[in-house]
């Protein structure tokens, strides 16, 4: 059973370009979460999605950031017109909806975004 | 909103016992989780407490006191490989839902 997959693992973008990060949840998981982590800091919640539905985007910056989880395919976190402050590790996690293990989030390896 | 506090760094020697504390303030509470992260890699789940008391999983135990909004992670028989960052996280909804993470405690295990 494959774990959570993220790609690319490393992404370099120049200021003003778009960054597109992908996440495939674990098999059987219908819930996806995106977190951002700056060096030496904790994981900051960004957005929580189900298939074709954004459940909670309270942690998303109002501008330039968007996320989707289509019926088919991976979840996408899109950052438009990147700035140096967007440089961070972006982690995706997935979980079950209900049941004994619904509290457990499984994390992907992360995408390290560097904006030059 | 939610806020969590945990020490930024803890140091202990191999074979010892260490306790990492976490206090939280939340508008709703369904449970406290602990995650381990090595060198910026994927965080991995360690334990979860929804009810007061101690949960034991091998060398790791986690404790919760909901009345005190406090929990801790206890690591016994420390090994060098336990050197990592440890995060507490609070769930404020039932079933699936986001978790709010603390800033993490960096544990250094010395020989």
């Amino acid at each position: 059973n494959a774990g959570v997959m993220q790609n690319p693992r490393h992404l370099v973008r120049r200021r003003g370009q778009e960054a597109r990060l992908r996440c495939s949840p674990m098999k059987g998981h219908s819930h996806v979460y995106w977190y951002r982590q700056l060096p030496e800091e904790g994981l900051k919640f960004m957005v929580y999605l189900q298939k074709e539905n954004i459940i909670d985007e309270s942690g998303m910056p109002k501008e330039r950031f968007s996320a989707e989880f289509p019926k088919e395919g991976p979840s996408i976190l899109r950052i438009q017109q990147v700035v140096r402050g967007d440089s961070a590790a972006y982690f995706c996690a997935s979980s079950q909806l209900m049941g004994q293990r619904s509290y457990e989030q499984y994390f992907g390896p992360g995408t390290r975004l560097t904006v030059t | 909103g939610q806020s969590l506090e945990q020490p930024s760094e803890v140091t202990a020697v191999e074979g010892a016992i260490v306790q990492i504390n976490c206090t939280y303030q939340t508008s709703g509470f369904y449970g406290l989780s602990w995650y381990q992260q090595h060198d910026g890699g994927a965080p991995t789940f360690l334990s979860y407490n929804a009810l007061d008391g101690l949960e034991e999983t091998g060398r790791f135990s986690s404790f919760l006191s909901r009345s005190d909004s406090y929990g801790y992670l206890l690591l016994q028989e420390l090994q060098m490989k336990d050197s990592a960052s440890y995060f507490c996280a609070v769930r404020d909804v039932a079933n699936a839902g986001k978790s709010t993470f603390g800033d993490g405690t960096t544990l250094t295990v010395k020989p």
Side-chain angles (χ1 to χ4, degrees), chain B residues 38-84:
Chain B
H38 280 102
D39 298 325
T44 55
F45 173 83
L46 292 177
S47 68
Y48 177 74
N49 294 70
L51 302 175
D52 289 352
L54 192 68
E55 294 282 342
E56 298 182 66
T57 309
R59 294 188 298 113
F60 293 2
S61 303
S62 58
F63 172 82
L64 175 66
S65 169
R66 289 175 298 171
S67 60
D68 296 321
S69 297
Y70 164 75
Y72 65 72
L73 180 69
L74 191 73
L75 297 86
Q76 303 182 70
E77 301 173 15
L78 282 174
Q79 302 175 8
M80 298 296 289
K81 67 178 182 179
D82 297 330
S83 292

Side-chain angles (χ1 to χ4, degrees), chain A residues 12-81:
Chain A
V12 180
R13 285 287 179 266
R14 286 195 290 269
R15 279 180 298 170
Q17 292 185 318
E18 178 179 285
R20 199 174 281 217
L21 289 61
R22 296 174 186 77
C23 169
S24 296
M26 279 187 70
K27 186 177 180 180
H29 286 187
S30 56
H31 297 253
V32 165
Y33 314 82
W34 285 93
Y35 295 88
R36 177 164 62 178
Q37 185 176 37
L38 295 170
E40 310 301 324
E41 293 190 9
L43 295 148
K44 302 302 182 188
F45 168 78
M46 299 182 75
V47 62
Y48 161 37
L49 310 106
Q50 296 175 27
K51 288 280 187 182
E52 301 182 284
N53 205 7
I54 297 176
I55 306 301
D56 183 343
E57 56 180 350
S58 57
M60 287 277 274
K62 298 298 180 199
E63 297 177 352
R64 303 187 298 110
F65 285 72
S66 63
E68 62 177 4
F69 190 13
K71 186 176 180 181
E72 301 290 338
S75 174
I76 306 287
L77 178 68
R78 184 183 292 109
I79 311 172
Q80 297 178 303
Q81 299 176 315

Side-chain angles (χ1 to χ4, degrees), chain B:
Chain B
Q2 287 89 348
S3 69
L4 296 92
E5 287 193 20
Q6 49 181 131
S8 58
E9 295 179 345
V10 172
T11 302
V13 297
E14 212 172 357
I17 299 172
V18 72
Q19 179 174 311
I20 299 174
N21 299 319
C22 175
T23 57
Y24 58 88
Q25 286 185 312
T26 62
S27 54
F29 180 83
Y30 279 86
L32 184 71
S33 300
W34 288 91
Y35 287 80
Q36 179 190 60
Q37 185 182 36
H38 280 102
D39 298 325
T44 55
F45 173 83
L46 292 177
S47 68
Y48 177 74
N49 294 70
L51 302 175
D52 289 352
L54 192 68
E55 294 282 342
E56 298 182 66
T57 309
R59 294 188 298 113
F60 293 2
S61 303
S62 58
F63 172 82
L64 175 66
S65 169
R66 289 175 298 171
S67 60
D68 296 321
S69 297
Y70 164 75
Y72 65 72
L73 180 69
L74 191 73
L75 297 86
Q76 303 182 70
E77 301 173 15
L78 282 174
Q79 302 175 8
M80 298 296 289
K81 67 178 182 179
D82 297 330
S83 292
S85 292
Y86 293 85
F87 296 90
C88 57
V90 165
R91 274 175 44 136
D92 59 2
V93 292
N95 297 320
K98 74 174 188 183
S99 287
T100 300
F101 283 76
D103 286 340
T105 298
T106 300
L107 171 64
T108 302
V109 180
K110 296 187 173 181

